[in-house]
Amino acid sequence: MTDQPAPDAAYDPAYDRDRLTDWMVENDVAHVTHDHPAVFRVEEGLELKAALPGAHTKNLFLKDQKGRLWLISARQDTVIDLKRAAGVIGAAKLSFGNETLMWETLGVRPGSVTALGLINDTDRRVTFVLDQRLWDADIVNFHPLTNTATTALSQSAFRRALELLGREPIVVDFGALA
């Protein structure tokens, strides 16, 4: 992402890992967080994830030709065809969103993109798309706004968090698009 503008240093997201954790505790969103070395790509954390139960995720921060922002959260092994996905979710041509937009909307840096970042999207600029396999998983694992930890949530805790945030995902069976 060297050709992307640097994040605006003046922007300070409302939530970081500690404040997110406090929010989950205050709202009875049961979770377990495991610290680990920084992981920037799905492939880097495979051994680490093997020791943690549940569905592990990959998260794509995207922008379409009309300027709409999208967050796709899918199981780590899901193949996502952006051309086909765009048609299914009602987006114009999709491309990766830049680091500045990611920081301003989700309060995360590249490598730390997560559905839990929606807590920082108070203006609801980002449309959330969720892989059907995550919607059906007993346990889902996301970064807690940093890529040096993984937070495990039961499906009921994850849905509670989404409800508290006022977010209803567009659930897509990406396997059917392949």
Side-chain angles (χ1 to χ4, degrees), residues 115-135:
L116 297 175
L118 293 168
I119 196 168
N120 283 317
D121 183 27
T122 56
D123 293 334
R124 300 186 190 280
R125 293 174 58 193
V126 179
T127 300
F128 183 42
V129 179
L130 186 67
D131 181 0
Q132 180 72 51
R133 294 191 307 153
L134 288 183
W135 189 246

Side-chain angles (χ1 to χ4, degrees), residues 53-134:
H56 294 276
T57 60
K58 68 177 168 187
N59 299 274
L60 307 177
F61 179 71
L62 306 164
K63 182 177 181 178
D64 73 13
Q65 280 186 322
K66 295 181 180 178
R68 288 184 64 192
L69 302 177
W70 303 85
L71 172 62
I72 296 178
S73 293
R75 279 185 67 115
Q76 69 182 4
D77 58 347
T78 301
V79 174
I80 299 174
D81 179 333
L82 292 182
K83 288 180 184 177
R84 294 186 79 186
V88 170
I89 64 176
K93 181 180 175 186
L94 290 167
S95 61
F96 287 93
N98 69 43
E99 186 176 352
T100 299
L101 280 173
M102 184 186 304
W103 179 247
E104 290 173 354
T105 55
L106 301 177
V108 296
R109 306 279 187 209
S112 298
V113 178
T114 172
L116 297 175
L118 293 168
I119 196 168
N120 283 317
D121 183 27
T122 56
D123 293 334
R124 300 186 190 280
R125 293 174 58 193
V126 179
T127 300
F128 183 42
V129 179
L130 186 67
D131 181 0
Q132 180 72 51
R133 294 191 307 153
L134 288 183

Side-chain angles (χ1 to χ4, degrees), residues 81 84-85 88 172-178:
D81 179 333
R84 294 186 79 186
V88 170
V172 174
D173 181 357
F174 287 104
L177 300 180

Side-chain angles (χ1 to χ4, degrees), residues 134-136 154-164 167:
L134 288 183
W135 189 246
D136 295 338
S154 68
Q155 189 59 237
S156 61
F158 178 54
R159 291 185 189 194
R160 175 161 171 70
L162 291 176
E163 181 181 322
L164 289 166
R167 296 303 189 116

Side-chain angles (χ1 to χ4, degrees), residues 2 4 18 20 31 37 40-41 60 70 85 87 105 109 128 139 149 153 168:
T2 55
Q4 302 294 339
D18 292 336
L20 171 67
H31 64 283
F40 292 92
R41 290 182 306 280
L60 307 177
W70 303 85
T105 55
R109 306 279 187 209
F128 183 42
I139 298 171
L153 301 159
E168 188 171 327

